[in-house]
Amino acid sequence: MEIASKYSPEQIEKKWYDYWMRHNFFRSTPDEREPYTIVIPPPNVTGVLHMGHMLNNTLQDVFIRRARMTGKNACWVPGTDHASIATEAKVVAKLAEDGIKKSDLTREQFLKHAWDWTYKHGGIILEQLKKLGASCDWERTCFTMDEKRSQSVLKVFVDLYNKGLIYRGVRMVNWDPGAQTAISDEEVNYKEQQGKLYYLRYQLADDPKRYAVVATTRPETILGDTAVCINPNDPKNAYLKGKKVIVPIANKEIPVIEDEYVDIEFGTGVLKVTPAHDVNDYMLGEKYHLESIDIFNDDGTLNEHGLQYAEMDRFEVRKKIEKDLEEAGLMEKVEPYTNSVGFSERTDVPIEPKLSMQWFLKMGKISEPAFMSVMDDVVKLHPAKFKNTYRHWMESIKDWCISRQLWWGHRIPAYYLPEGGYVVAETDEKALELARQKTENNNLSMADLRQDEDCLDTWFSSWLWPISVFDGINEPCNKDIAYYYPTNDLVTAPEILFFWVARMIIAGYEYRDDKPFKNVYLTGIVRDKQGRKMSKSLGNSPDPIELMDQYSADGVRMGMLLCSSAGNDILFDLSQVELGRNFCNKIWNAFRLVKGWQVDETIEQPDSSATAITWFSNKLQSALAEIEDHFEKYRISDAMMSSYKLMWDDFCSWYLEMIKPGYQQPIDQKTLQTTIDFFDRLTRILHPFMPFLTEEIWQLLQPRNVGESIMISEMPEKNSFDEKILKAFDFASEVIIAIRAQRAKRNILNKEQIELFIKKNEETPQTLFDGIVAKLCNIGNIAYIDEKPENCASFIVRSTEFFIPMEENVNKEEERAKLQKELDYTRGFLDGVLKKLNNERFVGNAPEKVLEGERKKKADAEARITVIEEQLKSL
RNA sequence: GGGAGCAUAGCUCAGUUGGUUCAGAGCACCUGCCUUACAAGCAGGGGGUCACAGGUUCGACUCCUGUUGCUCCCACCA
């Protein structure tokens, strides 16, 4: 069989993914096995794959594939999120390109466009996940706005409303004038802005010659002022106490109030109070029963309270009003000023604090079990440091504003009655029924009811995700939810710990009386080399699809995993992905080597091969134990690294070299079969990390039946191993490395055969792996001697002397200098050890194990010194 | 302003209960090899006062305190 020397993934990846799909290997249905469940953090339905998804989904696939290979019934549920704000923003932008304004469309027309968009772009991201190798049960794909999920959302809303947990209220919300919706605090990004601080004169009502000077960054809001406020302890403004002042331009009298909230040192110590447009002012307004005057339209232009500025944009007004105030002599001064301004995460438009009627969910009581379960490790966070963050948030949890002024989403199932009041119901019919009861008017028809225009926050559907994907809200007793819930691991980014993870836990306890998952693995944020978050807008993110085309899906998976310790941000570096690709190629070539060997059934197994097999099978077991330990502790990159070293260093660099027959020589049957068996196990160990390459090799390694696959094979089981053999080999490997170094130093080519003399002493290990040393170093004869031979290159491993006879004379001066240096170092080392051992407090306090170690160090060093001294003497 | 975290080789990062599995990996670098599986490779090598200053301890990369620098979260800046 001719096998290419470079691994080419293109066809191979596609071939095996199709094969897995065709044989339904990803499918999971309840059975008698233990379930292992992951629900995908649903990506935005119209989104495209970015590096964060790559990391996240690689990890999930590693977990799910490993679970599948360890006898669990593994179920990974995929799906997408309707992402109301993000998607609506995209649709609006697309319509704008076509010259259509959202405001010219009816709700129905707009939704038609939104659905068209969703059908067209929706699910692209899921197709991209397939390229990565994601082994999701695609038959279970859900969408947060599909029928069952929508029903679940409405059902939960009605239920919470009936429990008295949902209420309507006027609140100061973050208004996004771009998207014309309220957004949550979490969706506001504060940015430093170079602005101005304006000092305005508010004349006293009873004495126009005197005035209060107010410092503000937002002069356009003066038209909404309903008071100015001073600190009662501020002597310099005491003259304002009990006075009334006149708002410039508006020419309106407002009172001077006093509150300690005002910082005496800031500006002039006089604060203008605009309850409708500032959170703190709103609180002052509540406290002193001030009127709220909202001067803005929803799009950020001024309304009729804006007087002559009505219909102008807020920022235009700021400029204009600055000029007008100056002309009127009411501007004291203007200073440059840096302050932080909130921007909408979605539209990047400065947000406007605005009073508006919103729906809220009371979070206090409902969140208690979720709080406790994380504190008590019923739900474990990995890494655990996020427990603190979680506690901090849960302790100060605020009511959740769940309404959004959008059309794309689940419409709030509240219906307003003609003569005031409203009813809440899952369907129009039920609403009408309730409305008739409430109004005692049986003639009421649907046309008389007006459904709330708002949509629910996206997270109000995704917080039900681990339940709703198994339809556990609509059918709380169905087989799937009973079997798969609670799920096992959730893999997500720490930035949505509160938006999503905390709320899922809350919903889990409220609707299943149980946690939604046992472990939460929080990945880092993928950043570029400058430490910036990778994002489309910055254009600093490589295209994952291109990356996979270039480096193979397996290579990219490896690259992501190697730098992804839990919870730490990862600085993405192409060299990691290169490493992944190189590793694929390494395995591929190891496979080529093994596959290329001819068997001769008549030859006996060489002793060196038998020894190599004994060593490697022990090494394999110790690595398996290590890998399993890493997995248990969610140290995935460590598990990856251990597997990588087992394959590359132990198997390829050591084992294969040990058993490799000479050029064009055949191999014995026994060794070949065992090697293939090792290789088989190695591919299985590596399969969760790099599914495609391992499947390809596994299939070619031995004859397989149709319908067999590595992904449904069993993970090699860990067994006990002999530590002594591994230790003995460590010594042998040191000897081999030392001989290679001698060859390199003395320019003895590898093909030139040499001899080796060993002067054993009581410190020399019993097993020396002579056959292997001879083979790997091309040694014709190994002999044990008592006397130092003439004209030899010599070296010392631990405290055993080795000699290689040389044809040319050895430079004695050089040898002496080298040995002297070695001697000095070892003596220094011994001094350090002796100091410790002569320290009574050390001997008295240190545990026996440590003492033993120190004594061993002492003995070793002494033996070594003796040997070096002897050598020096003989020179 | 409140909270959390980080600082280890040129770069990206591991380092689990304080003690030879402890100073490590990969990349980069240097030297020598196109040795018939692999140059996406092989062999060898250099490189770190573990941010700084104290303290606890027989012993500190590891624990404590402080300093400096950076990051994130929350609140918020008229």
Side-chain angles (χ1 to χ4, degrees):
Chain A
M1 178 178 15
E2 196 60 38
I3 311 174
S5 74
K6 281 198 167 51
Y7 170 60
S8 352
E10 310 81 42
Q11 277 90 35
I12 288 172
E13 291 181 355
K14 185 163 186 334
K15 174 179 74 181
W16 291 117
Y17 204 87
D18 290 348
Y19 178 85
W20 297 330
M21 289 286 277
R22 218 169 40 245
H23 288 90
N24 255 335
F25 292 145
F26 303 156
R27 180 68 180 149
S28 168
T29 50
D31 61 21
E32 68 294 337
R33 286 175 297 167
E34 187 188 332
Y36 175 87
T37 319
I38 296 181
V39 291
I40 203 169
N44 292 0
V45 64
T46 61
V48 289
L49 206 61
H50 59 64
M51 295 309 288
H53 294 124
M54 296 286 283
L55 171 63
N56 195 264
N57 288 290
T58 298
L59 282 162
Q60 292 175 71
D61 199 44
V62 169
F63 288 143
I64 210 89
R65 283 183 186 271
R66 187 174 163 84
R68 201 179 281 122
M69 290 175 73
T70 50
K72 312 264 173 57
N73 183 349
C75 181
W76 183 9
V77 185
T80 47
D81 190 291
H82 66 283
S84 57
I85 298 176
T87 307
E88 180 150 333
K90 278 186 200 166
V91 175
V92 168
K94 166 71 174 49
L95 289 173
E97 269 175 36
D98 300 344
I100 305 170
K101 278 164 72 180
K102 182 190 166 191
S103 52
D104 293 341
L105 298 176
T106 65
R107 187 182 189 111
E108 285 64 36
Q109 287 170 328
F110 178 82
L111 286 176
K112 168 93 175 45
H113 280 112
W115 278 108
D116 286 348
W117 176 269
T118 300
Y119 291 134
K120 195 169 159 199
H121 300 274
I124 288 179
I125 195 160
L126 298 183
E127 289 306 311
Q128 293 180 315
L129 283 179
K130 292 178 181 172
K131 197 169 164 63
L132 183 66
S135 58
C136 305
D137 182 354
W138 298 108
E139 286 177 50
R140 292 184 179 274
T141 305
C142 294
F143 175 45
T144 50
M145 257 172 74
D146 64 22
E147 208 181 320
K148 283 181 175 169
R149 264 45 67 182
S150 297
Q151 264 172 27
S152 308
V153 167
L154 298 185
K155 197 167 168 175
V156 163
F157 184 95
V158 172
D159 177 68
L160 292 170
Y161 176 79
N162 290 336
K163 286 173 178 162
L165 293 173
I166 286 180
Y167 63 92
R168 270 184 109 214
V170 174
R171 283 292 173 93
M172 185 65 81
V173 295
N174 304 301
W175 185 261
D176 176 346
Q180 300 199 23
T181 178
I183 58 176
S184 68
D185 292 347
E186 287 86 353
E187 290 161 313
V188 178
N189 296 327
Y190 285 89
K191 295 190 216 168
E192 288 287 312
Q193 287 283 302
Q194 190 53 250
K196 294 174 182 172
L197 190 60
Y198 303 85
Y199 289 76
L200 314 183
R201 294 171 177 168
Y202 285 50
Q203 292 168 318
L204 264 59
D206 58 5
D207 183 0
K209 290 196 188 72
R210 298 169 68 202
Y211 43 80
V213 177
V214 173
T216 179
T217 54
R218 302 202 56 194
E220 70 277 15
T221 63
I222 60 172
L223 303 171
D225 286 356
T226 50
V228 296
C229 189
I230 57 169
N231 191 308
N233 307 317
D234 181 2
K236 70 180 184 294
N237 285 314
Y239 71 99
L240 291 170
K241 284 187 182 182
K243 301 283 186 187
K244 283 187 188 301
V245 295
I246 295 170
V247 181
I249 295 176
N251 285 321
K252 196 177 68 178
E253 270 188 28
I254 54 170
V256 175
I257 59 169
E258 297 168 44
D259 194 281
E260 291 186 348
Y261 164 76
V262 176
D263 179 358
I264 298 173
E265 300 305 319
F266 187 92
T268 55
V270 186
L271 172 74
K272 68 189 217 49
V273 184
T274 322
H277 298 297
D278 183 279
V279 180
N280 294 301
D281 292 11
Y282 176 69
M283 291 186 309
L284 286 173
E286 292 261 278
K287 194 165 166 186
Y288 298 101
H289 309 289
L290 300 172
E291 190 193 352
S292 281
I293 303 173
D294 187 339
I295 62 164
F296 292 120
N297 293 313
D298 288 352
D299 62 358
T301 58
L302 270 67
N303 63 19
E304 68 278 9
H305 293 293
L307 307 175
Q308 65 264 43
Y309 308 105
E311 302 305 316
M312 286 172 67
D313 182 77
R314 50 190 169 147
F315 299 108
E316 290 301 312
V317 175
R318 185 177 303 174
K319 285 183 208 153
K320 184 78 170 60
I321 221 164
E322 176 182 359
K323 221 184 206 171
D324 293 350
L325 285 166
E326 259 164 24
E327 281 167 13
L330 294 173
M331 182 76 79
E332 177 102 353
K333 60 176 173 177
V334 180
E335 287 176 348
Y337 184 73
T338 309
N339 69 339
S340 82
V341 178
F343 285 77
S344 165
E345 192 177 67
R346 302 298 180 181
T347 59
D348 209 32
V349 164
I351 58 122
E352 195 63 59
K354 183 181 160 79
L355 284 176
S356 88
M357 187 63 89
Q358 302 289 339
W359 292 87
F360 290 88
L361 174 59
K362 287 183 194 167
M363 295 299 270
K365 200 139 184 254
I366 195 178
S367 66
E368 278 169 20
F371 182 32
M372 291 322 293
S373 73
V374 170
M375 288 305 109
D376 297 342
D377 288 329
V378 174
V379 174
K380 283 205 191 78
L381 305 186
H382 303 273
K385 68 179 179 186
F386 285 108
K387 255 173 98 169
N388 273 330
T389 324
Y390 185 86
R391 181 181 52 222
H392 197 246
W393 191 72
M394 290 299 261
E395 274 173 349
S396 55
I397 196 164
K398 290 184 291 185
D399 287 355
W400 176 12
C401 178
I402 52 174
S403 44
R404 294 289 183 275
Q405 289 63 51
L406 293 168
W407 283 343
W408 179 242
H410 306 95
R411 191 168 177 179
I412 291 179
Y415 300 77
Y416 299 98
L417 305 173
E419 52 277 350
Y422 59 90
V423 294
V424 168
E426 278 173 63
T427 60
D428 289 359
E429 294 72 42
K430 279 189 197 157
L432 186 58
E433 199 185 312
L434 281 176
R436 283 178 176 164
Q437 278 172 24
K438 193 164 178 178
T439 55
E440 294 175 9
N441 175 2
N442 274 329
N443 297 326
L444 216 58
S445 74
M446 256 336 274
D448 299 318
L449 300 184
R450 186 177 55 80
Q451 188 175 355
D452 196 297
E453 293 294 328
D454 288 358
C455 272
L456 287 161
D457 181 9
T458 296
W459 303 106
F460 197 82
S461 55
S462 41
W463 76 320
L464 305 173
W465 191 245
I467 308 173
S468 66
V469 295
F470 300 113
D471 207 18
I473 297 288
N474 299 317
E475 305 280 347
C477 300
N478 81 66
K479 247 170 71 186
D480 276 357
I481 190 84
Y483 182 73
Y484 292 114
Y485 193 96
T487 70
N488 295 69
D489 298 336
L490 178 82
V491 180
T492 192
E495 37 190 3
I496 53 173
L497 186 60
F498 310 129
F499 288 127
W500 193 46
V501 180
R503 287 170 183 164
M504 277 192 287
I505 304 175
I506 294 171
Y509 282 100
E510 185 69 14
Y511 287 100
R512 298 298 304 175
D513 199 21
D514 199 357
K515 61 194 170 293
F517 27 72
K518 298 176 187 109
N519 294 287
V520 181
Y521 182 99
L522 295 150
T523 64
I525 295 165
V526 183
R527 297 175 182 279
D528 68 8
K529 284 201 105 172
Q530 284 114 59
R532 298 172 308 175
K533 190 171 161 177
M534 281 194 171
S535 73
K536 231 169 127 191
S537 51
L538 273 173
N540 58 349
S541 174
D543 176 0
I545 300 296
E546 278 174 29
L547 214 54
M548 286 191 280
D549 285 341
Q550 214 174 337
Y551 293 96
S552 81
D554 289 331
V556 177
R557 289 167 66 113
M558 286 261 319
M560 302 298 315
L561 287 173
L562 279 171
C563 55
S564 67
S565 53
N568 289 337
D569 286 358
I570 70 174
L571 295 204
F572 181 78
D573 187 342
L574 259 187
S575 72
Q576 315 266 20
V577 178
E578 254 172 60
L579 172 83
R581 178 199 57 180
N582 295 355
F583 185 47
C584 291
N585 204 43
K586 182 73 187 177
I587 302 172
W588 182 251
N589 278 290
F591 169 68
R592 279 179 69 214
L593 174 70
V594 172
K595 232 21 209 180
W597 286 333
Q598 299 299 314
V599 186
D600 183 341
E601 291 182 5
T602 63
I603 50 175
E604 287 284 300
Q605 182 178 50
D607 285 347
S608 58
S609 295
T611 314
I613 286 167
T614 307
W615 167 72
F616 189 72
S617 57
N618 278 280
K619 184 74 209 179
L620 186 67
Q621 290 310 328
S622 87
L624 274 171
E626 203 176 290
I627 292 164
E628 195 173 310
D629 185 53
H630 287 319
F631 266 108
E632 268 166 23
K633 291 171 179 151
Y634 286 82
R635 291 199 296 256
I636 312 307
S637 54
D638 287 343
M640 170 79 250
M641 211 6 129
S642 297
S643 314
Y644 173 88
K645 285 182 175 165
L646 177 66
M647 183 75 205
W648 195 311
D649 299 345
D650 298 318
F651 185 69
C652 293
S653 297
W654 288 114
Y655 175 79
L656 287 180
E657 293 300 330
M658 291 175 191
I659 59 140
K660 188 170 160 183
Y663 179 52
Q664 290 193 334
Q665 300 285 303
I667 193 168
D668 67 282
Q669 175 67 38
K670 210 169 157 188
T671 303
L672 180 65
Q673 194 45 55
T674 312
T675 303
I676 287 174
D677 180 55
F678 282 150
F679 214 143
D680 190 307
R681 282 195 253 173
L682 286 166
T683 54
R684 280 180 278 149
I685 292 168
L686 287 166
H687 180 259
F689 305 114
M690 35 200 337
F692 295 109
L693 172 77
T694 50
E695 178 78 286
E696 173 75 7
I697 290 178
W698 188 83
Q699 294 280 352
L700 294 170
L701 216 43
Q702 325 205 40
R704 309 285 181 192
N705 297 319
V706 176
E708 275 193 279
S709 166
I710 190 171
M711 68 168 284
I712 51 164
S713 71
E714 267 178 46
M715 186 58 71
E717 256 183 64
K718 109 183 151 175
N719 282 309
S720 60
F721 57 91
D722 188 346
E723 192 83 46
K724 283 206 290 289
I725 293 175
L726 299 181
K727 282 252 165 71
F729 175 74
D730 285 346
F731 185 86
S733 71
E734 280 178 49
V735 174
I736 293 165
I737 287 166
I739 296 170
R740 284 173 178 164
Q742 290 293 326
R743 276 185 179 275
K745 193 173 134 198
R746 298 175 199 280
N747 288 320
I748 309 170
L749 291 177
N750 223 10
K751 53 188 166 197
E752 205 175 312
Q753 199 169 65
I754 55 170
E755 278 183 282
L756 181 71
F757 299 137
I758 305 172
K759 196 173 162 202
K760 252 188 172 175
N761 62 28
E762 60 275 11
E763 308 288 335
T764 312
Q766 291 298 314
T767 327
L768 273 178
F769 290 81
D770 288 7
I772 284 168
V773 172
K775 176 156 189 196
L776 294 190
C777 298
N778 192 16
I779 295 169
N781 178 42
I782 295 183
Y784 289 87
I785 53 166
D786 293 322
E787 288 302 316
K788 181 185 181 307
E790 280 305 306
N791 205 37
C792 279
S794 67
F795 59 92
I796 303 167
V797 174
R798 298 191 196 173
S799 59
T800 302
E801 287 173 90
F802 295 80
F803 304 93
I804 301 168
M806 300 294 291
E807 281 177 13
E808 289 162 33
N809 284 341
V810 178
N811 183 331
K812 291 197 176 184
E813 273 317 302
E814 255 177 42
E815 292 295 296
R816 207 189 313 266
K818 194 190 78 187
L819 282 168
Q820 191 59 50
K821 207 173 150 194
E822 186 70 30
L823 183 63
D824 293 345
Y825 175 83
T826 313
R827 278 182 176 153
F829 177 79
L830 179 63
D831 278 351
V833 176
L834 285 175
K835 231 182 229 168
K836 273 195 202 175
L837 284 171
N838 293 334
N839 183 336
E840 273 174 41
R841 285 193 290 181
F842 172 70
V843 178
N845 287 313
E848 186 51 37
K849 217 178 112 190
V850 175
L851 279 176
E852 204 181 297
E854 291 301 314
R855 286 194 203 107
K856 174 104 176 37
K857 272 196 242 175
K858 174 173 171 268
D860 288 348
E862 283 169 348
R864 201 176 161 84
I865 285 169
T866 313
V867 168
I868 297 172
E869 281 171 344
E870 266 174 35
Q871 280 214 0
L872 271 174
K873 224 185 287 166
S874 72
L875 275 169

